[in-house]
Amino acid sequence: MCVFGAKTLVDAFDALSNQSLFSDGKTDESAFIPKNCVRLGDVLFPPENQDLSFSDVRGQKKLIRALQIAAAGGHNVLAFGPPGCGKTLALERFGELLPILTVEEAQSVTRIWSLAGLLRANEPLLRVAPFRQPHQTASIEGICGGGTNCRPGEISLSHNGVLFLDEAAEFKTSVLQMLRVPLESGAITLSRAGRSTVYPARFQLLLATNPCPCGNYGVSGKLCLCSARSVEQYWRKFSAPLLDRVDIRVCVSSSNDFEESSSIESFESTQDLRKTIATAVSIQRSRQKKRNAELSPQEIAEFCALSQNDREKLDEVAFENDLSKRAVSGIQKLARTIADMAGKNQIESAHLAEAISLRSNVGPLSVFAGI
């Protein structure tokens, strides 16, 4: 925003009549960029935090690939596996894969953080995507917002960023179910004592959980002490409608499948992972000015077109697995993101196959039909 000072009202009037003093209204994308940002093509990333490097995540190539795709397209992720397998370690580093926000995205985030009293004096515009990780004891008011002044909650503070729920099954069922509407609409309406406030809440949801209450379900060499009913009740806390909004599901195995070489050079660094993410983000900003996860049905039909053979394959998978229309659309959006990462204009069969594998029901998720 340009600011002009005037000593008198006459000077102010003269300035308003002189159009050459004012900008053309175009957004200055270089405003308030954090120091030492990394530029990949025309996409900027925040400075790399060596304490959160993906080089430290070993033996989980499938999970890292899923997080790379999620960062490229803004897709929601569910990672489940036994304790100590590395799912939390990887998901806590997810913010390192996200590019800095555009000025338009940063403005709405800055307003929300200012209302919440969290805006630092030396940071007039938040360009780094928020990454919020509330505790499992968080109340529904703390997550969705509320109070006497209708303060924004965690889902609004993570607007244009990430909401990470670690040990997600330990959150209250009401808290988990409340996420369904904001995930769909990208906003939340708070009504308190005759006052109604609408906050934006277009966040990316990351869920990490154990496969069962004891954590050993399906783990070779370990004994699961949970009954079939307790495992079912454990997963029913999420509900099929909530899981239907999660496009990427990853079963994280215990870290017994490390690569042959133990040297750190044999693992992908954060910088390596960012390269294809930058390619996809640049394509999406140019093509539709939004992330693929936010595409409308009309935009899916336009940008996620499949060949006849691939369409028949997707219809067959949907019929065999009783997938909902939302799930089918999610697979198409995933395939579009994978194609963007490869720099392809058209979705190919390999892209669709990988998208289907990321959306398939495996492990404890198979007890739910149609999600």
Side-chain angles (χ1 to χ4, degrees):
M1 180 175 63
C2 295
V3 179
F4 301 89
K7 292 183 178 180
T8 66
L9 287 176
V10 174
D11 291 341
F13 181 83
D14 291 340
L16 289 172
S17 62
N18 185 1
Q19 296 299 323
S20 63
L21 292 175
F22 300 95
S23 66
D24 57 5
K26 294 182 179 179
T27 302
D28 183 9
E29 290 294 337
S30 64
F32 304 107
I33 293 177
K35 294 181 179 179
N36 303 320
C37 278
V38 180
R39 179 178 292 275
L40 297 175
D42 57 354
V43 179
L44 282 171
F45 288 85
E48 185 176 343
N49 186 346
Q50 295 301 325
D51 294 333
L52 297 175
S53 175
F54 273 87
S55 300
D56 300 330
V57 184
R58 307 190 178 189
Q60 300 297 350
K61 279 192 170 182
K62 181 179 179 182
L63 175 58
I64 293 176
R65 171 62 176 172
L67 294 180
Q68 187 184 27
I69 295 171
H75 306 281
N76 301 322
V77 180
L78 167 65
F80 61 95
C85 64
K87 55 186 184 295
T88 300
L89 180 74
L91 267 63
E92 285 181 336
R93 287 158 165 73
F94 184 76
E96 292 292 297
L97 301 179
L98 299 177
I100 67 170
L101 302 175
T102 64
V103 171
E104 184 179 0
E105 292 170 339
Q107 286 172 344
S108 58
V109 173
T110 304
R111 293 188 189 106
I112 295 170
W113 280 58
S114 179
L115 284 171
L118 299 177
L119 192 64
R120 292 190 289 259
N122 61 346
E123 197 170 13
L125 191 66
L126 295 176
R127 295 297 299 270
V128 178
F131 188 94
R132 304 291 295 180
Q133 186 178 350
H135 192 263
Q136 296 87 351
T137 57
S139 65
I140 192 168
E141 289 80 11
I143 298 295
C144 73
T148 56
N149 297 322
C150 280
R151 292 170 62 88
E154 290 291 339
I155 62 172
S156 294
L157 292 173
S158 57
H159 175 63
N160 286 333
V162 177
L163 179 66
F164 174 34
L165 303 185
D166 194 16
E167 301 296 343
E170 302 301 324
F171 283 82
K172 296 178 182 178
T173 303
S174 58
V175 170
L176 294 174
Q177 299 312 310
M178 178 275 303
L179 298 174
R180 288 157 52 180
V181 173
L183 282 173
E184 195 74 20
S185 63
I188 185 168
T189 302
L190 303 178
S191 298
R192 298 289 187 275
R195 175 180 175 179
S196 181
T197 305
V198 180
Y199 286 120
R202 191 168 297 283
F203 58 93
Q204 190 171 356
L205 180 63
L206 302 184
L207 300 171
T209 187
N210 294 330
C212 68
C214 79
N216 292 330
Y217 181 87
V219 180
S220 59
K222 292 187 178 181
L223 178 63
C224 178
L225 303 177
C226 306
S227 65
R229 179 173 176 80
S230 65
V231 175
E232 182 179 353
Q233 290 177 334
Y234 184 80
W235 279 93
R236 286 197 179 279
K237 288 192 68 176
F238 297 102
S239 82
L242 174 61
L243 291 177
D244 200 30
R245 292 166 169 82
V246 180
D247 291 333
I248 299 178
R249 297 100 174 276
V250 185
C251 180
V252 186
S253 61
S254 56
S255 300
N256 297 323
D257 53 349
F258 289 121
E259 287 84 348
E260 295 180 1
S261 173
S262 60
S263 63
I264 194 170
E265 288 79 13
S266 63
F267 301 94
E268 286 188 288
S269 66
T270 303
Q271 187 71 5
D272 294 333
L273 296 173
R274 285 176 171 181
K275 293 177 181 177
T276 53
I277 294 173
T279 300
V281 170
S282 178
I283 291 173
Q284 292 166 48
R285 287 177 176 176
S286 174
R287 183 179 58 217
Q288 73 247 1
K289 295 181 174 55
K290 64 171 73 172
R291 297 180 295 181
N292 286 335
E294 302 169 12
L295 292 176
S296 65
Q298 294 79 10
E299 291 169 330
I300 293 174
E302 180 180 357
F303 302 130
C304 306
L306 301 174
S307 65
Q308 182 64 29
N309 290 337
D310 288 342
R311 168 54 64 182
E312 292 175 357
K313 179 181 179 180
L314 180 57
D315 291 341
E316 182 180 348
V317 170
F319 177 78
E320 291 177 352
N321 296 276
D322 194 22
L323 297 179
S324 66
K325 296 294 185 182
R326 182 186 288 113
V328 173
S329 297
I331 291 175
Q332 288 183 260
K333 290 185 286 187
L334 271 178
R336 179 65 270 171
T337 297
I338 297 169
D340 289 342
M341 293 172 69
K344 302 292 185 179
N345 293 326
Q346 294 295 124
I347 297 175
E348 300 176 358
S349 298
H351 306 146
L352 179 63
E354 185 175 7
I356 292 173
S357 68
L358 289 171
R359 188 57 173 72
S360 61
N361 298 328
V362 291
L365 281 177
S366 60
V367 301
F368 294 95
I371 63 171

